[in-house]
Amino acid sequence: MRTYNAATSSLRDNLEMRDRPTTSLSLLVRARSGEDAAWGRIVEIYGPIVFEQCRRRGFREEDARDLTQDIFLAVSQSLDSFRREKPGDSFLHWLRSIVSRKVVDFIRKEAGKVQATGGDTAHLLIEQIPERSDLQWEPDSLRRHAFERAVQLMKTDFQENTWRAFWLSVVEGKSTDEVCSTLGMKAGAVRNARSKVQKRLIEELGDLLDVESH
């Protein structure tokens, strides 16, 4: 499996200028405008990632689910504030800041409940409050998971061979000849299939997955 950076680099390199996306197709833009399906797709892509980060932080499954729900409520309420105006900006970095804040809020809230009932473990909960660097947040790995999940969710929108031609070429890094041999397709059909899925991926998900169109 190729790295996320290699796969998205291929996306950039293989898109021609005439295929640059229009912002009206962006999943993020549609979610901001109130489209439920677009917001649902964002949650489908990043929800499992956020939940896993909460679990890795040591939260019980039930607490991790509550915390994940609270995080995405905050994301939905502040979605208009996310911007990619400079090279360091990314949706994942912005999401991490919300996760970090909500983790701290959750632990403090639970510590307050313990203290209010006369418990003597509130200070232990307070000690669990992480600094930002304590979160097990590995950007390259998380981007790869988001990328792969997004493509898996999108694959049902395409014919099987179209999606497989894209996946083998871009994600697994196989040559056009190898894909032709594997799928019994002609080279032109493989290139067209690859371009079709690439274009759709960048149009809908580029601003969420940190994929550039130019």
Side-chain angles (χ1 to χ4, degrees):
M1 181 70 69
R2 302 171 74 194
T3 65
Y4 168 85
N5 289 337
T8 54
S9 176
S10 180
L11 289 179
R12 290 194 300 269
D13 292 344
N14 284 285
L15 272 182
E16 297 179 356
M17 291 298 289
R18 66 173 180 271
D19 290 327
R20 291 175 66 179
T22 57
T23 55
S24 61
L25 295 176
S26 164
L27 198 65
L28 182 61
V29 169
R30 286 156 45 202
R32 282 173 173 162
S33 70
E35 184 180 314
D36 289 342
W39 170 248
R41 181 57 62 91
I42 291 173
V43 174
E44 283 184 300
I45 293 169
Y46 284 99
I49 292 172
V50 170
F51 175 77
E52 178 61 24
Q53 291 300 302
C54 293
R55 289 288 284 161
R56 291 179 65 184
R57 187 65 187 81
F59 290 104
R60 296 176 305 170
E61 182 174 349
E62 181 179 356
D63 289 339
R65 292 193 186 283
D66 289 344
L67 182 52
T68 298
Q69 185 174 13
D70 193 34
I71 288 167
F72 277 95
L73 176 60
V75 170
S76 68
Q77 291 172 339
S78 57
L79 204 57
D80 285 339
S81 69
F82 170 63
R83 295 288 185 274
R84 294 186 67 195
E85 297 174 341
K86 54 184 183 294
D89 294 338
S90 74
F91 183 80
L92 190 64
H93 179 79
W94 179 77
L95 179 62
R96 178 185 188 243
S97 68
I98 294 176
V99 173
S100 299
R101 185 176 71 250
K102 287 299 180 179
V103 164
V104 170
D105 290 347
F106 187 91
I107 294 175
R108 284 177 173 160
K109 182 179 178 180
E110 292 303 303
K113 289 179 181 178
V114 171
Q115 207 163 30
T117 57
D120 58 1
T121 58
H123 68 285
L124 296 177
L125 289 171
I126 293 295
E127 289 175 359
Q128 293 179 34
I129 296 176
E131 297 294 333
R132 287 174 61 91
S133 59
D134 289 338
L135 289 169
Q136 297 175 333
W137 199 268
E138 301 168 356
D140 189 65
S141 175
L142 294 177
R143 289 190 190 101
R144 177 173 57 81
H145 287 313
F147 172 78
E148 292 172 2
R149 183 163 178 78
V151 175
Q152 289 283 358
L153 289 169
M154 188 180 286
K155 75 175 184 178
T156 56
D157 296 338
F158 298 94
Q159 293 182 349
E160 183 178 357
N161 266 12
T162 298
W163 180 81
R164 290 189 66 198
F166 161 78
W167 187 266
L168 291 172
S169 299
V170 176
V171 180
E172 297 193 9
K174 295 185 181 297
S175 69
T176 298
D177 287 344
E178 288 177 303
V179 177
C180 289
S181 177
T182 299
L183 301 180
M185 296 173 65
K186 294 184 177 180
V190 169
R191 286 191 290 269
N192 288 338
R194 181 173 61 220
S195 178
K196 183 178 181 180
V197 181
Q198 286 174 336
K199 183 174 183 289
R200 171 78 175 278
L201 179 65
I202 289 181
E203 283 177 341
E204 290 199 4
L205 302 166
D207 45 9
L208 289 175
L209 299 177
D210 309 331
V211 179
E212 300 287 356
S213 61
H214 54 277

